[in-house]
Amino acid sequence: MSAAVFALLLGGAGLATAASPAQAADATYKVRCVPPAGGGDPVEGETTAKVTAPATAKVGDEVDVSWETVKPASNNTDLMDIPKDAVQPTGWITVGGGGGELKVVGEKKNPPIPKKAPMQMSTMKGKLKLTKAGKITLTPGKYEVAVTFSFGTFVTKCAPTGEVKGGATIDVSAGSSGGTTNGGTTSGGTTSGGTTTGGTTSGGTTSGGTTSGGTTSGGTTGGGGGQSDFPGKAVEVAFDCGPVVPGGIKTPVTINARKNGGSYDLTVKTAKGAMAAPMALPAGALKPSMAIKLGGADSGTVKVAGPANAEPIPDKAPVSLSDMTGTYKPGKTGKVTLSPDQLTIDVTMAPGATPINVPCKATSSGVSLELDTAAQPGGSGSPSTTGATTAGPGGGLAETGAEDGGGLKALALVAGTVILLGAAVFTFTPWRRLRGTR
């Protein structure tokens, strides 16, 4: 969501202080930030960090060091608000004189950050044990920003692109311990930074409820006589979307066919949405496609695709996948079965932006339709052959799907989680604009 949300990543770093007497110093430097997987290309920006630490201390002291963001690298995007207490930064300060790195961690504490408003991160803090006399320099370096939503936590990692100048200096005098050993690395408390997971989500998976379309098990047989329409039966399909959608998706899928010469025009329906959208979605945000697996006399797959939502979807409004259409041109003569296979959802949160691709593998499926076919020149017939693809005509998300009212509740989760990932891209919109890509 960009979800969130991640403008904050480039938001910059800063430092705060602890003991007295204390001194603070600013460091302004350029960073390169890498968004979460699927969040788009890395971006660059400039941040100003203030490091605060005692001006003087002695060997054996454990001093407080902090990093405060003075100037963030960008504002929040114009796509979504960042909720209160959702942002947690973690930074690493280089300790000069062979002292390694000091890890500093901020609280997950921030005011609500409206669209286009300056990013705000809490002060990162840590403790440094002084083990060597002399001047110890503290220079800010790489940092991470984790943003947590109800449907997951996403981390952007930022690192300097050149030399960092500035930071605090501690004049360490020899103490009773006599100035032994080198600085070592110190920990800065507990952090939720580093690797993040998609978080626990509500809504999880849902079954499609009562299904529409077919009646018999094993699909509907067609192709003989003067019949032109061949309705399929609804089959319950479980999709594994990986970490993007914890628990996956379960929904009834129906494959219907209409004979068109020697080929068949396919229409694939999923269940209607039974869950509110997790956030407002712009027109053109969600576009589904699916691979239909051929069995029996023929083999390979046929791709079907649906149009994106033509109208914006308000927050809390029902969300459904549009009907997906495509053309199956038989490559073999005989009885051919058609079963739902991989589902793909492309999410685009802004005009001209690169879509976020979310693949969902069918871990359990079944035959929705069976046809009596006659081989056609250039038709399917091998595992690597795919039927012609056509995009479905118009139609909005809320109006498509099975007629039974069964819920594709997990779809809302897909929308939310995918959008969240998309946010990673769009949160960096300010830099994309600077580069003239929008």
Side-chain angles (χ1 to χ4, degrees), residues 38-50:
D41 297 330
V43 294
E44 295 186 356
E46 187 176 78
T47 184
T48 298
K50 177 184 288 184

Side-chain angles (χ1 to χ4, degrees), residues 18-228:
S20 138
Q23 50 88 38
D26 291 355
T28 298
Y29 59 104
K30 293 182 178 180
V31 292
R32 181 176 188 268
C33 293
V34 180
D41 297 330
V43 294
E44 295 186 356
E46 187 176 78
T47 184
T48 298
K50 177 184 288 184
V51 178
T52 304
T56 60
K58 63 180 183 298
V59 171
D61 287 348
E62 186 175 63
V63 298
D64 294 327
V65 178
S66 63
W67 172 343
E68 175 190 351
T69 300
V70 175
K71 180 184 177 183
S74 82
N75 294 339
N76 186 18
T77 65
D78 56 1
L79 295 175
M80 65 179 295
D81 297 335
I82 298 174
K84 179 181 179 181
D85 299 337
V87 181
Q88 183 172 40
T90 301
W92 284 264
I93 297 174
T94 300
V95 181
E101 288 184 324
L102 170 66
K103 184 179 181 180
V104 289
V105 181
E107 295 182 277
K108 187 184 289 185
K109 188 173 183 180
N110 60 277
I113 305 175
K115 301 178 184 69
K116 299 183 179 180
M119 289 305 306
Q120 297 187 50
M121 294 188 292
S122 63
T123 297
M124 296 173 276
K125 300 178 180 180
K127 291 184 178 292
L128 176 65
K129 183 66 176 289
L130 302 173
T131 59
K132 185 178 181 180
K135 290 188 180 296
I136 303 297
T137 59
L138 303 172
T139 306
K142 64 182 181 181
Y143 63 94
E144 299 176 353
V145 180
V147 181
T148 300
F149 294 84
S150 60
F151 36 77
T153 298
F154 296 82
V155 176
T156 293
K157 299 183 178 183
C158 301
T161 57
E163 182 182 3
V164 181
K165 296 181 179 180
T169 301
I170 305 175
D171 191 352
V172 182
S173 60
S176 58
S177 59
T180 60
T181 70
N182 54 19
T185 56
T186 64
S187 63
T190 304
T191 177
S192 63
T195 302
T196 63
T197 63
T200 302
T201 62
S202 61
T205 59
T206 66
S207 60
T210 305
T211 59
S212 67
T215 54
T216 63
S217 60
T220 301
T221 301
Q227 185 178 0
S228 60

